[in-house]
Amino acid sequence: MSVPAALGRILAAAWLMLGVTGCAIGLGGMIANLLGLWLGPEAVSGHVADPFGGRAPVALVGLALLAALEIARRSGLTKLPSAAMVSAAGAAGFGCMGSYALISGLAAGSALDISQGAADLVAGLVFAPTAWRALRSS
Amino acid sequence: MSIETYLDRLFDLLGGTGAAGRRAVAEAESHLTEAVEALVVGGLTREAAEAEAVRRFGSPETVAAAHLKAGALPPPAVVQRLFAAGWLMTGVGGVAYGLSGLLAYGVARLFGENLVAPDAPDAVFTAERCAQLFAMNPDAANCRTASVVHHLDELTFQPMEVGVVALVLLAVFLAARKVPGLRLLTRLPGPAMVSAVGATVFGGAGVMFLLSGAAMLAWGRTNGVGASFAQGAALLVAGLAFLPSAWRQLSLRRA
């Protein structure tokens, strides 16, 4: 594969990860709002009163990025690296980041960090089935 | 369902299964094409022949499930490979942590301890915390100095100790890979997965620490900035160690 083609796939992978990150940030805000309803608004209002409201634009940008990537893939404009590489990177990357945020959030009693950690773990789990299949056939 | 749609679905379902999955899709395409030709000769229209060939071959979900079941590693073997990958990544992470301590030590020696220790000049300590810090560093001139010494130890010497242990861990891993009886515990997943995880996780974490250091500087804060840059640089080096293999795996892909 030529260098530009390989770089194009890296760019597509970064595009995908940015989109998923945007969605995870939005999901983190939603979970924070739910925790606020459950634990009381003071549990999550240390920084902002409405975590999801503040992060909704980021989530929308993430969704738009993912939709644009899908359109670009279907029209043959871009290709991702192999499913094994993308799924392993996604599962490990978001899984590690989520675990770190969740553990530090639990240790510090920060509902916002706990929410974001849970959202990142969900993002990592999205990649898990493909990563598992790739691992079983490796 | 047309053959094209069928093959697209089968390809999606077999995503991540590598060469075996690619061969399965190619075999399905060959089989379906032959079946359609035979049915067309038998008097069916091409559209009807495709639908009939697909019906006889089985749904993409059934075919993919059978393929995965036949070619997949058993769960104990998967767990062993995850164990080996965890061993390798823990070793590399530990060495990177040790390297960050070494770099932070160099920064402290060259540019001063305040650039590494996160204690602000106007830091306020509770009496209880102050007593703890003096217990650890009785010769310190004041509470903040005791805290700086304490944090320097945490950010330089302790990581270096962990780094030495991690080097031993990696050496044992490499040695164990040469022992046939231990191969089961040291057999890694495919290089595409290992290199992608190493480059992404360590490289990504490195970039985050470097950005965090840059943000501290942008906000006019210098205390602790050296530690952030040292950690970022060390993690970036660890990520770069996986990059050649990741690039090879990426470039090998032809599809």
Side-chain angles (χ1 to χ4, degrees):
Chain A
M1 186 189 295
S2 66
V3 171
L7 289 176
R9 291 192 183 196
I10 293 173
L11 189 68
W15 185 349
L16 171 71
M17 296 302 171
L18 267 180
V20 176
T21 301
C23 293
I25 288 172
L27 180 62
M30 281 179 76
I31 297 172
N33 273 18
L34 288 175
L35 279 179
L37 287 175
W38 182 35
L39 301 171
E42 67 279 0
V44 292
S45 60
H47 302 290
V48 283
D50 175 15
F52 179 63
R55 298 180 196 190
V58 182
L60 286 176
V61 170
L63 283 172
L65 279 173
L66 290 179
L69 176 65
E70 189 55 27
I71 291 168
R73 283 184 66 198
R74 282 173 190 261
S75 59
L77 284 174
T78 188
K79 278 184 178 174
L80 284 164
S82 71
M85 295 187 86
V86 173
S87 62
F94 285 105
C96 286
M97 205 158 59
S99 303
Y100 177 76
L102 194 62
I103 291 169
S104 58
L106 285 170
S110 163
L112 280 177
D113 284 344
I114 291 171
S115 312
Q116 195 54 56
D120 290 344
L121 277 180
V122 168
L125 286 174
V126 169
F127 293 95
T130 308
W132 180 255
R133 275 201 303 275
L135 190 64
R136 291 197 74 185
S137 60
S138 66
Chain B
M1 181 186 286
S2 71
I3 289 181
E4 280 300 307
T5 310
Y6 183 96
L7 292 173
D8 285 347
R9 177 68 182 145
L10 187 61
F11 181 78
D12 284 343
L13 290 168
L14 292 174
T17 58
R22 183 170 48 77
R23 277 194 294 274
V25 174
E27 282 168 20
E29 182 173 18
S30 169
H31 179 91
L32 287 169
T33 307
E34 283 173 19
V36 167
E37 294 307 324
L39 289 166
V40 167
V41 169
L44 288 182
T45 63
R46 179 156 290 276
E47 195 178 339
E50 287 196 6
E52 179 60 16
V54 163
R55 190 190 64 76
R56 289 182 188 175
F57 198 62
S59 72
E61 288 76 14
T62 312
V63 173
H67 172 80
L68 292 170
K69 197 175 176 184
L73 287 172
V78 175
V79 172
Q80 283 160 353
R81 290 185 189 203
L82 283 174
F83 175 81
W87 188 348
L88 173 70
M89 294 301 169
T90 303
V92 173
V95 171
Y97 188 47
L99 179 61
S100 79
L102 199 63
L103 291 173
Y105 180 76
V107 171
R109 290 297 297 267
L110 284 173
F111 303 106
E113 297 170 342
N114 286 324
L115 206 61
V116 173
D119 307 273
D122 55 352
V124 178
F125 300 90
T126 63
E128 187 187 4
R129 179 65 181 153
C130 209
Q132 288 173 346
L133 291 166
F134 271 123
M136 288 183 276
N137 301 287
D139 298 332
N142 54 48
C143 203
R144 182 182 173 274
T145 307
S147 182
V148 168
V149 173
H150 167 66
H151 282 133
L152 271 180
D153 182 57
E154 275 188 347
L155 293 164
T156 58
F157 295 114
Q158 286 183 21
M160 283 192 253
E161 287 165 11
V162 172
V164 171
V165 173
L167 273 176
V168 174
L169 201 66
L170 275 182
V172 172
F173 178 75
L174 292 175
R177 277 173 70 84
K178 293 179 181 168
V179 179
L182 296 174
R183 282 285 291 165
L184 279 178
L185 290 176
T186 56
R187 189 158 181 197
L188 289 163
M193 299 190 83
V194 174
S195 60
V197 168
T200 308
V201 171
F202 292 117
V207 169
M208 281 178 72
F209 273 103
L210 289 177
L211 288 176
S212 158
M216 286 160 78
L217 280 181
W219 292 328
R221 188 181 150 191
T222 54
N223 298 95
V225 100
S228 276
F229 280 125
Q231 287 156 346
L235 285 164
L236 213 53
V237 167
L240 286 174
F242 290 95
L243 205 56
S245 173
W247 181 260
R248 264 197 310 278
Q249 294 300 320
L250 187 72
S251 306
L252 278 174
R253 301 283 156 186
R254 305 280 175 192

